[in-house]
Amino acid sequence: MKKQRLIVIIVVFLAIVGFFGYNYIYQDHRDIKTETSTLEITAPYLLERFKTNNAEELLNKTITVTGKISDVEENGITLNGSVYASFDNLTSEDKVGDKIKIKIKGRCIGYDELFDIVKIDQSTVVK
Amino acid sequence: MESRRFIGKLKHMKTKIAFTIICFAFIVTAIGQEKYATKTGQIKFEASVPSFEEVKAKNNDVSAVLDAATGKFAALALIKGFRFKVALMEEHFNENYVESSKYPRATFKGSIQDFNLANISEKTEYVISGTFNMHGTDKTMDVPATISVDGDALLLTAKFVMQPEDFNIKIPSIVSNKIAEDVDVSVEFRLQKQ
């Protein structure tokens, strides 16, 4: 009788450990789209922050960038020639024309010195 | 008399300078047109070990610039832009292995040996010699690459192997049997004429 109870306790214990362990290892990716952004900033000023003081604290943060569209590519939008926002799926509806003011939310991944541009990924257009 | 001559000379010099500047501007634009670049290059790497969870990541926002006149080539990947299937693996990669907050960029600077834009037809094999910089460490490497013409763009692909220890990236012994020592890297850049 005692032995049986012990076995049940062990099985339940293992199941709980397994459940939480599995959920920890296979936790979901961040959903940048639903995260609240920690900063709202204009595109030229964001670039300036990276150039003057490296802005390490902004890396991996969800931020909202405002600016004028200077270039539209297949999966990305450039704002004021200073921020490149990459989209997981850029809809044709989001591909609005040149020089239009727009607000984009995404994850800041850093400064690209080849193009002199700050990149954000997993972007969405904030309406 | 004398002063008038001097003014005349000065005017002449002015036109000369203006002419030189215009010529120079033309040369600069001509060289500028030889540039091919992309902001959306792709780098994939895999360090999987059979029967363990696959260790694989992809970055679709890699920048690269090729100067077709000289064959000089540069590429830059933001480390935070590498994305894994397993979120926790991505977190460990960034925080424990490559320390992407401290070293946010991986770069390559080099030149393509015997590069000649006119000679590229179908698929041409090249060797790019240059220096990788990652995790604060430099490493010189010769990378074999294939370049082909695709409309007005150049398609550059490369496959090579890297070792984390070359870049002073330490893999803890608990997980070292789940991560391959040789990391297979594959690169694809569609370089648009600028």
Side-chain angles (χ1 to χ4, degrees), chain A residues 24-32 35 59-62 88 107-109 121-122, chain B residues 43 45 53-61 78-101 103 169 175 179:
Chain A
Y24 172 70
I25 292 171
Y26 295 102
Q27 55 186 272
D28 286 337
H29 276 277
R30 288 170 65 186
D31 185 9
I32 304 299
E35 272 186 31
L59 288 177
N60 217 16
K61 292 270 162 34
T62 301
D88 285 343
R107 181 181 67 125
C108 183
I109 58 173
D121 77 351
Q122 298 168 61
Chain B
I43 295 181
F45 72 79
E53 187 68 61
E54 64 171 15
V55 183
K56 199 169 146 187
K58 192 162 115 179
N59 188 335
N60 289 329
D61 299 313
L78 293 168
I79 304 289
K80 298 261 187 222
F82 280 100
R83 289 164 74 187
F84 292 70
K85 198 172 85 187
V86 179
L88 190 68
M89 206 185 273
E90 192 173 302
E91 196 184 308
H92 288 167
F93 168 79
N94 279 293
E95 283 171 14
N96 305 342
Y97 303 153
V98 289
E99 298 172 271
S100 60
S101 296
Y103 310 106
I169 297 166
V175 293
I179 301 172

Side-chain angles (χ1 to χ4, degrees), chain B residues 20-152:
Chain B
T20 320
I21 288 172
I22 289 168
C23 278
F24 189 69
F26 267 114
I27 292 167
V28 167
T29 30
I31 292 170
Q33 276 167 357
E34 292 288 303
K35 275 220 169 102
Y36 288 80
T38 181
K39 275 200 284 280
T40 53
Q42 193 183 72
I43 295 181
K44 283 193 253 183
F45 72 79
E46 183 160 9
S48 303
V49 171
S51 79
F52 285 109
E53 187 68 61
E54 64 171 15
V55 183
K56 199 169 146 187
K58 192 162 115 179
N59 188 335
N60 289 329
D61 299 313
V62 184
S63 294
V65 179
L66 166 67
D67 186 342
T70 59
K72 279 209 164 36
F73 177 77
L76 183 148
L78 293 168
I79 304 289
K80 298 261 187 222
F82 280 100
R83 289 164 74 187
F84 292 70
K85 198 172 85 187
V86 179
L88 190 68
M89 206 185 273
E90 192 173 302
E91 196 184 308
H92 288 167
F93 168 79
N94 279 293
E95 283 171 14
N96 305 342
Y97 303 153
V98 289
E99 298 172 271
S100 60
S101 296
K102 213 165 144 195
Y103 310 106
R105 286 174 284 273
T107 59
F108 176 83
K109 279 194 180 77
S111 55
I112 305 174
Q113 285 175 15
D114 310 315
F115 182 77
N116 188 346
L117 188 60
N119 286 347
I120 297 172
S121 49
E122 286 277 290
K123 270 188 175 173
T124 316
E125 307 275 338
Y126 283 103
V127 171
I128 312 177
S129 332
T131 310
F132 279 99
N133 179 287
M134 194 164 73
H135 197 241
T137 317
D138 280 336
K139 198 196 176 216
T140 8
M141 250 174 102
D142 284 343
V143 182
T146 310
I147 303 176
S148 56
V149 179
D150 182 15
D152 62 347

